[in-house]
């Protein structure tokens, strides 16, 4: 009897292809909930000693996730599908990418390649064309699979469900899901971010189930992929916000100040930078914020904390960080650069920065939503950095109009600065009057997230996975 007990539980394989999945599903309650009611195996790109010690005791096995070098025809086909998908959905973000592709091609050979891909993409930019390409991508990727590894390991494990923790971040997570589908194993994935469906390539592995943030993403997914049925899409919220609602991830103002170095008796502004590739010249905006803060009388003058984007910081921003400007602080982001993984202790620092800041500034990012969760005023930047001369595809204003973000602006929960004078006026309002946008922010968050902003998204993810795996087990 005791020998059969472990097998009475469903067996779930979690694919952890990059570090963001660790934050969402291993640090959160998802893994703990799953381990209580299921057997869990991690098929993970991360498998160093720290990772093994942290998560090894919780799961049955941790198996290194290999990265296979696929044939050129499969990679060519996949790139063509991405371009055709872009041309078909033709959102504002995609239009911007389309323009950037050619401007970033520096040699005649590169430019010719981009133009040829664009020409072929137009031919297949339809439901029928994309389905045709996806049909052959799936079959050729399996037919030309360079290794039997995934088929062997999944046949050995015999899981009831394979869950790819992020549909977008790493191609190495896709092959095991294709093989699982071929073997008749139930598959599921999490649509990583709110802008992915309007700004990223086509979802290619044939997943049986999809977990999404909200009703809007559910509708978008069903519209783009007409073969997906409503019962295959599950609204869970996103675990990345759970930490903002848990007291154990909230440092006191004094604790935060001790770690970062600012004066806890004075207010501070939180500036979160974007990726340098997307927001070139951002150091100019940070410098302008520093200058504008000096215009406030000393009794109400805030300090500035700049949290840089770890995956795309510029040398100019790093030089500013080293300048040790009075009242300006550049705390290190605790991040494992090899695995693209935020360290667990960074979650509390980031959440506490949001909680204790007077207001936040960012170009146009998810951070705006997080600041609204804490009832903080938000300023976005809709103009190019002072002194810059950027080509049209790289202008900052375009980000404000992208399909996912224009809804935030329309909701009235953020203020957008379109000039230095706007920055001065908005910052003055925030410093002297606080958050006048709180009602609009709460209305927007309620419409956007529904009931999922409760710190329990990680648990909901586990509940969905357990239910699906349990149905297979029965």
């Amino acid at each position: 009897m005791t020998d059969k007990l472990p097998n009475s539980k469903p067996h779930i394989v979690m694919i952890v292809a990059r570090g963001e999945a660790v934050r969402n599903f291993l640090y959160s309650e998802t893994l703990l909930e799953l381990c209580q009611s299921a057997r869990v195996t991690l098929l993970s790109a991360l498998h160093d000693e720290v990772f093994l010690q942290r998560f090894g005791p919780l799961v049955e096995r941790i198996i290194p996730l290999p990265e296979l070098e696929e044939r050129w025809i499969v990679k060519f086909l996949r790139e063509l599908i991405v371009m055709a998908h872009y041309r078909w959905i033709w959102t504002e973000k995609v239009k911007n990418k389309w323009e950037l592709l050619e401007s970033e091609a520096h040699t005649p050979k590169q430019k010719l390649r981009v133009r040829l891909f664009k020409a072929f993409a137009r031919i297949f930019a339809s439901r029928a064309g994309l389905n045709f390409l996806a049909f052959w991508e799936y079959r050729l990727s399996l037919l030309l699979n360079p290794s039997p590894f995934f088929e062997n390991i999944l046949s050995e494990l015999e899981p009831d469900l394979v869950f790819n923790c992020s549909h977008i971040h790493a191609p190495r997570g896709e092959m095991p899901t294709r093989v699982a589908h071929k073997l008749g194993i139930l598959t599921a994935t999490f649509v990583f971010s709110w802008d992915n469906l309007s700004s990223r390539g086509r979802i290619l592995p044939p997943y049986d189930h999809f977990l999404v943030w909200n009703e809007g993403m559910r509708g978008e997914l069903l519209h783009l992929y007409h073969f997906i049925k409503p019962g295959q899409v599950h609204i869970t919220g996103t675990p990345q916000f759970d930490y903002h609602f848990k007291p154990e991830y909230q440092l006191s103002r004094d604790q935060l100040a001790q770690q970062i170095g600012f004066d806890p008796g004075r207010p501070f502004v939180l500036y979160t930078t974007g990726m340098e590739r997307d927001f070139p010249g951002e150091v100019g905006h940070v410098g302008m914020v520093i200058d504008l803060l000096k215009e406030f009388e000393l009794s109400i003058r805030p300090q500035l904390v700049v949290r840089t984007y770890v995956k795309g910081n510029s040398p100019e921003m790093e030089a500013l960080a080293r300048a040790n400007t009075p009242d300006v602080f550049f705390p290190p982001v605790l991040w494992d650069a090899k695995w693209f993984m935020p360290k667990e202790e960074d979650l509390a620092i980031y959440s506490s920065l949001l909680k204790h800041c007077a207001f936040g500034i960012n170009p146009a990012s998810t951070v705006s939503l997080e600041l609204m969760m804490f009832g903080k005023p938000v300023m976005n930047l809709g103009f190019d950095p002072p002194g810059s001369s950027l080509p049209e595809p790289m202008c900052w204003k375009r980000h404000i109009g992208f399909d996912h973000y224009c809804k935030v602006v329309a909701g009235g929960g953020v203020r957008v600065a379109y000039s230095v004078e706007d920055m001065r006026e908005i910052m003055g309002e925030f410093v002297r009057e606080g958050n006048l946008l709180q009602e609009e922010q709460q209305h927007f968050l309620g419409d956007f997230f529904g009931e999922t902003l409760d710190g329990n998204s990680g648990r909901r993810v586990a509940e969905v996975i357990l239910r699906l795996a349990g149905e297979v087990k029965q």
Side-chain angles (χ1 to χ4, degrees):
M1 188 74 174
T2 53
D3 290 340
K4 294 182 180 179
L5 185 59
N7 292 331
S8 68
K9 293 182 176 182
H11 186 188
I12 295 162
V13 170
M14 299 177 71
I15 301 172
V16 182
R18 226 170 71 160
E20 289 92 345
V22 175
R23 176 198 62 195
N24 278 7
F25 302 111
L26 304 191
Y27 291 155
S28 76
E29 292 180 327
T30 300
L31 181 61
L32 291 175
E33 290 285 323
L34 289 177
C35 290
Q36 289 177 14
S37 304
R39 300 160 52 215
V40 178
T41 296
L42 300 182
L43 189 55
S44 176
L46 295 78
H47 46 79
D48 60 16
E49 193 59 35
V50 173
F51 185 87
L52 295 175
Q53 289 180 359
R54 173 69 174 81
F55 299 109
L58 301 176
V59 300
E60 280 201 354
R61 292 175 65 183
I62 298 177
I63 301 170
L65 175 64
E67 187 165 20
L68 307 179
E69 182 60 36
E70 294 186 279
R71 303 289 180 85
W72 72 269
I73 186 64
V74 175
K75 292 189 285 188
F76 172 86
L77 192 55
R78 231 168 257 159
E79 191 171 352
L80 178 58
I81 292 172
V82 168
M83 294 290 286
H85 185 76
Y86 282 169
R87 196 63 184 84
W88 178 58
I89 63 174
W90 209 231
T91 61
E92 291 303 314
K93 173 67 172 177
V94 162
K95 291 175 188 176
N96 185 236
K97 283 188 172 185
W98 195 266
E99 294 173 39
L100 282 170
L101 282 170
E102 198 151 340
S103 66
E104 292 174 347
H106 302 299
T107 68
K109 185 178 179 180
Q110 289 173 337
K111 290 182 183 297
L112 177 61
R113 187 175 187 274
V114 168
R115 288 167 187 165
L116 286 173
F117 262 104
K118 286 184 175 182
F120 279 117
R122 288 185 172 93
I123 296 171
F124 293 100
S126 65
R127 284 193 192 276
L130 286 164
N131 288 341
F132 174 80
L133 292 178
F135 174 90
W136 285 108
E137 185 275 339
Y138 173 73
R139 277 150 185 80
L140 287 175
S141 64
L142 290 173
L143 179 66
L144 302 177
N145 184 357
S147 169
F149 174 83
F150 293 120
E151 190 156 353
N152 292 342
I153 199 68
L154 291 173
S155 297
E156 175 194 336
L157 294 171
E158 295 184 330
D160 297 290
L161 183 144
V162 172
F163 176 57
N164 188 3
C165 293
S166 176
H167 86 288
I168 197 71
H169 270 119
R172 69 165 64 181
E174 296 184 352
M175 183 57 79
T177 57
R178 288 186 183 90
V179 174
H181 182 269
K182 173 190 171 186
L183 295 175
I185 301 168
L186 195 72
T187 60
T189 193
F190 181 75
V191 180
F192 179 76
S193 189
W194 59 314
D195 67 329
N196 288 165
L197 295 173
S198 63
S199 67
R200 297 296 189 102
R202 192 166 183 81
I203 300 174
L204 290 173
Y207 296 105
D208 298 300
H209 293 273
F210 301 82
L211 283 64
V212 298
W213 289 23
N214 55 30
E215 185 63 47
M217 288 175 66
R218 181 175 184 268
E220 196 173 1
L221 187 69
L222 293 172
H223 170 70
L224 291 175
Y225 303 89
H226 67 287
F227 46 83
I228 298 174
K229 306 304 179 188
Q232 295 175 259
V233 188
H234 313 269
I235 298 171
T236 61
T238 177
Q240 75 187 70
F241 299 143
D242 283 359
Y243 308 103
H244 302 332
F245 299 91
K246 296 187 180 298
E248 60 266 34
Y249 289 97
Q250 303 296 320
L251 304 175
S252 70
R253 189 179 188 87
D254 286 340
Q255 288 173 322
L256 183 65
Q258 187 175 12
Q259 290 209 34
I260 292 177
F262 65 82
D263 180 352
R266 294 173 55 203
F268 72 88
V269 175
L270 176 63
Y271 189 117
T272 49
T273 70
M275 184 179 287
E276 169 66 12
R277 182 181 181 276
D278 295 331
F279 298 99
E282 188 167 15
V283 68
H285 273 319
V286 175
M288 181 55 62
V289 170
I290 293 171
D291 290 342
L292 291 176
L293 287 174
K294 292 176 183 176
E295 296 179 4
F296 291 100
E297 52 267 35
L298 191 59
S299 60
I300 61 170
R301 183 183 302 164
Q303 304 159 96
L304 179 64
V305 175
V306 182
R307 183 174 166 96
T308 54
Y309 193 83
V310 292
K311 291 185 283 185
N313 203 14
S314 70
E316 293 80 10
M317 193 72 75
E318 291 172 358
L320 180 59
R322 292 192 297 268
N324 294 320
T325 307
D327 282 349
V328 180
F329 304 88
F330 282 78
V333 181
L334 304 182
W335 182 274
D336 189 318
K338 179 180 179 181
W339 303 117
F340 298 100
M341 181 179 70
K343 296 184 178 179
E344 201 163 6
E345 55 266 38
D346 188 65
L347 301 175
I349 294 173
Y350 177 53
S351 191
S352 301
L353 283 169
L354 296 167
K355 177 182 179 180
H356 294 297
C357 71
F359 62 89
I361 303 173
N362 66 83
S365 78
T366 306
V367 182
S368 295
L369 306 182
E370 296 174 291
L371 287 161
M372 285 194 270
M373 293 173 201
F374 284 95
K376 302 297 181 178
V378 185
M379 180 171 73
N380 297 141
L381 303 174
F383 69 105
D384 297 342
S388 64
S389 180
L390 301 176
E392 177 60 26
M394 303 185 78
C395 289
W396 282 45
K397 186 176 181 179
R398 297 191 69 158
H399 294 267
I400 302 297
F402 288 163
D403 301 70
H404 69 289
Y405 206 83
C406 66
K407 298 169 186 174
V408 180
V409 177
V414 301
R415 296 285 304 276
V416 181
Y418 293 103
S419 67
V420 173
E421 283 307 311
D422 285 351
M423 289 179 74
R424 178 179 285 109
E425 177 187 338
I426 294 169
M427 289 171 65
E429 174 191 310
F430 289 171
V431 168
R432 296 185 175 90
E433 302 183 56
N435 191 6
L436 302 179
L437 309 174
Q438 201 154 7
E439 185 176 342
E440 289 87 348
Q441 290 177 347
Q442 292 306 309
H443 188 265
F444 174 82
L445 291 175
D447 284 348
F448 189 77
F449 287 104
E451 303 297 322
T452 64
L453 284 182
D454 56 3
N456 294 315
S457 292
R459 183 174 296 173
R460 274 189 295 273
V461 169
E463 289 170 354
V464 170
I465 293 171
L466 287 169
R467 175 170 55 81
L468 295 173
E471 291 171 359
V472 173
K473 196 69 179 173
Q474 292 173 5

